[in-house]
Amino acid sequence: MNTARTPLFYMANLGSEVARALLEYEKGDFEKMRNSIIRAKNIIMKVEEFPEMKGRTGELEILKTIIEDLNQKKFELNKDQLLAYFSPFAMRLMSLA
């Protein structure tokens, strides 16, 4: 699959990194978790570069805060709800393949 690097592509991949970071957090593998968080932060920076994402800066700021809280080992959200947020991005991306 040769998918264009669109905001949809990056948001689906951000979901994968967040899911990976959460799994590593639960396992207590904080080195791998930090690596996932670094990748997640880089993905957010790429998403912010797209002109069509300018109206969603509040949403991206919330995601940054959640990721930073996880980085500081103080994740206080419902994991399933957070992962459910990313599901539509992945489903839409897969439907394009």
Side-chain angles (χ1 to χ4, degrees), residues 49-67:
E49 294 173 2
F50 287 92
E52 61 265 37
M53 297 304 289
K54 296 300 180 212
R56 300 180 80 177
T57 54
E59 191 173 336
L60 294 173
E61 288 300 318
I62 291 168
L63 290 171
K64 284 185 204 177
T65 301
I66 291 167
I67 290 168

Side-chain angles (χ1 to χ4, degrees), residues 19 33 42-43 54-55 63 72 83:
M33 180 193 77
N42 288 333
I43 291 170
K54 296 300 180 212
L63 290 171
Q72 295 176 18
L83 296 178

Side-chain angles (χ1 to χ4, degrees), residues 15-53:
S16 294
E17 285 302 336
V18 169
R20 190 173 295 117
L22 287 169
L23 179 64
E24 293 154 352
Y25 175 81
E26 289 173 342
K27 288 182 177 179
D29 191 340
F30 299 115
E31 182 64 29
K32 286 184 180 178
M33 180 193 77
R34 283 191 185 89
N35 290 333
S36 290
I37 288 171
I38 289 168
R39 289 189 296 271
K41 288 179 177 182
N42 288 333
I43 291 170
I44 289 175
M45 288 184 348
K46 289 192 181 293
V47 170
E48 290 174 323
E49 294 173 2
F50 287 92
E52 61 265 37
M53 297 304 289

Side-chain angles (χ1 to χ4, degrees), residues 48-95:
E48 290 174 323
E49 294 173 2
F50 287 92
E52 61 265 37
M53 297 304 289
K54 296 300 180 212
R56 300 180 80 177
T57 54
E59 191 173 336
L60 294 173
E61 288 300 318
I62 291 168
L63 290 171
K64 284 185 204 177
T65 301
I66 291 167
I67 290 168
E68 189 52 41
D69 285 350
L70 183 58
N71 192 37
Q72 295 176 18
K73 301 178 192 164
K74 53 180 197 176
F75 183 72
E76 299 173 356
L77 295 175
N78 180 298
K79 173 187 157 189
D80 293 332
Q81 287 179 338
L82 178 59
L83 296 178
Y85 166 82
F86 290 105
S87 292
F89 298 109
M91 296 302 284
R92 283 181 42 209
L93 184 64
M94 289 172 54
S95 73

